[in-house]
Amino acid sequence: VARAWLVREVPPTAFRPNPKVHSAVILVDFECEEVLPEAERAELMRFVGDILRSRRKTLGNVLEPDVAAAVEAAGFDLNLRPEAFGLRDLLQLHAVAKRTASE
Protein backbone atom coordinates (compact mmCIF):
# COMPACT_ATOMS: atom_id res chain seq x y z
CA VAL A 1 0.00 0.00 0.00
CA ALA A 2 1.28 3.46 -0.81
CA ARG A 3 0.12 7.05 -0.81
CA ALA A 4 1.26 9.55 -3.44
CA TRP A 5 1.20 13.34 -3.61
CA LEU A 6 1.88 15.69 -6.48
CA VAL A 7 4.79 17.89 -5.39
CA ARG A 8 5.04 20.04 -8.50
CA GLU A 9 4.61 20.01 -12.23
CA VAL A 10 7.75 20.31 -14.33
CA PRO A 11 7.63 21.92 -17.80
CA PRO A 12 9.58 20.49 -20.75
CA THR A 13 11.87 23.53 -20.62
CA ALA A 14 13.38 22.20 -17.37
CA PHE A 15 15.22 19.49 -19.36
CA ARG A 16 17.80 19.51 -22.13
CA PRO A 17 16.89 18.51 -24.73
CA ASN A 18 13.28 19.48 -24.12
CA PRO A 19 11.04 16.38 -24.13
CA LYS A 20 7.67 16.48 -25.86
CA VAL A 21 5.89 15.63 -22.60
CA HIS A 22 5.12 17.43 -19.36
CA SER A 23 6.54 15.89 -16.20
CA ALA A 24 5.79 15.95 -12.51
CA VAL A 25 7.54 15.29 -9.24
CA ILE A 26 5.59 13.02 -6.95
CA LEU A 27 6.20 11.91 -3.40
CA VAL A 28 5.36 8.28 -2.69
CA ASP A 29 5.02 7.07 0.88
CA PHE A 30 5.19 3.28 0.95
CA GLU A 31 3.38 1.89 3.96
CA CYS A 32 5.55 -1.14 4.59
CA GLU A 33 5.89 -0.84 8.38
CA GLU A 34 3.87 -4.00 8.97
CA VAL A 35 5.90 -5.91 6.39
CA LEU A 36 9.43 -4.84 7.35
CA PRO A 37 10.93 -3.68 10.61
CA GLU A 38 12.22 -0.10 10.51
CA ALA A 39 15.85 -1.24 10.57
CA GLU A 40 15.38 -3.17 7.31
CA ARG A 41 13.47 -0.44 5.48
CA ALA A 42 16.61 1.59 4.73
CA GLU A 43 18.22 -1.52 3.25
CA LEU A 44 15.14 -2.15 1.10
CA MET A 45 15.04 1.46 -0.11
CA ARG A 46 18.74 1.30 -1.01
CA PHE A 47 18.13 -1.89 -3.01
CA VAL A 48 15.12 -0.38 -4.81
CA GLY A 49 17.07 2.81 -5.52
CA ASP A 50 19.94 0.79 -6.96
CA ILE A 51 17.78 -1.24 -9.35
CA LEU A 52 15.70 1.77 -10.42
CA ARG A 53 18.75 3.96 -11.04
CA SER A 54 19.59 2.24 -14.33
CA ARG A 55 16.73 3.52 -16.45
CA ARG A 56 15.67 1.50 -19.48
CA LYS A 57 17.64 -1.55 -18.36
CA THR A 58 15.99 -4.87 -17.68
CA LEU A 59 16.11 -6.52 -14.28
CA GLY A 60 18.61 -9.06 -15.60
CA ASN A 61 20.98 -6.26 -16.59
CA VAL A 62 20.92 -4.41 -13.26
CA LEU A 63 21.46 -7.37 -10.93
CA GLU A 64 24.68 -9.22 -10.25
CA PRO A 65 24.73 -12.52 -12.19
CA ASP A 66 24.31 -14.75 -9.11
CA VAL A 67 21.43 -12.61 -7.81
CA ALA A 68 19.84 -12.55 -11.28
CA ALA A 69 19.97 -16.36 -11.43
CA ALA A 70 18.33 -16.65 -8.00
CA VAL A 71 15.67 -14.08 -8.91
CA GLU A 72 14.88 -15.93 -12.14
CA ALA A 73 14.69 -19.23 -10.23
CA ALA A 74 12.18 -17.54 -7.89
CA GLY A 75 9.91 -16.95 -10.89
CA PHE A 76 10.69 -13.36 -11.87
CA ASP A 77 11.05 -12.35 -15.51
CA LEU A 78 14.52 -10.86 -15.96
CA ASN A 79 13.41 -9.21 -19.22
CA LEU A 80 11.10 -6.78 -17.39
CA ARG A 81 12.28 -3.36 -16.28
CA PRO A 82 12.47 -2.85 -12.50
CA GLU A 83 9.78 -0.15 -12.61
CA ALA A 84 7.29 -2.79 -13.78
CA PHE A 85 7.28 -4.42 -10.34
CA GLY A 86 4.91 -3.51 -7.53
CA LEU A 87 5.79 -3.12 -3.87
CA ARG A 88 5.15 -6.78 -3.00
CA ASP A 89 7.36 -7.88 -5.91
CA LEU A 90 10.11 -5.48 -4.80
CA LEU A 91 9.92 -6.92 -1.29
CA GLN A 92 10.29 -10.44 -2.70
CA LEU A 93 13.13 -9.38 -5.02
CA HIS A 94 14.93 -7.82 -2.08
CA ALA A 95 14.47 -10.96 0.02
CA VAL A 96 15.91 -13.15 -2.75
CA ALA A 97 18.84 -10.75 -3.30
CA LYS A 98 19.56 -10.60 0.43
CA ARG A 99 19.39 -14.38 0.80
CA THR A 100 21.69 -14.85 -2.21
CA ALA A 101 24.23 -12.33 -0.90
CA SER A 102 24.43 -14.12 2.46
CA GLU A 103 25.12 -17.54 0.90
Side-chain angles (χ1 to χ4, degrees):
V1 176
R3 293 178 291 166
W5 296 272
L6 175 65
V7 175
R8 69 180 300 184
E9 294 182 4
V10 183
T13 56
F15 303 96
R16 295 283 180 246
N18 295 354
K20 295 179 182 179
V21 297
H22 290 266
S23 301
V25 176
I26 59 169
L27 173 66
V28 179
D29 181 19
F30 293 101
E31 297 175 358
C32 57
E33 292 85 9
E34 62 227 27
V35 180
L36 275 182
E38 187 175 335
E40 293 182 33
R41 268 186 259 149
E43 185 181 317
L44 169 67
M45 297 313 286
R46 206 171 20 258
F47 172 77
V48 171
D50 288 346
I51 66 172
L52 291 175
R53 190 169 293 119
S54 301
R55 294 186 61 210
R56 299 189 183 104
K57 287 192 175 186
T58 63
L59 188 61
N61 288 325
V62 298
L63 296 173
E64 296 293 323
D66 57 333
V67 174
V71 163
E72 186 174 39
F76 289 96
D77 184 351
L78 296 180
N79 294 311
L80 294 176
R81 293 181 180 163
E83 60 266 23
F85 296 101
L87 180 58
R88 292 201 194 296
D89 291 331
L90 292 171
L91 288 166
Q92 290 176 351
L93 285 168
H94 177 252
V96 172
K98 187 175 176 179
R99 192 169 46 249
T100 304
S102 67
E103 291 177 353

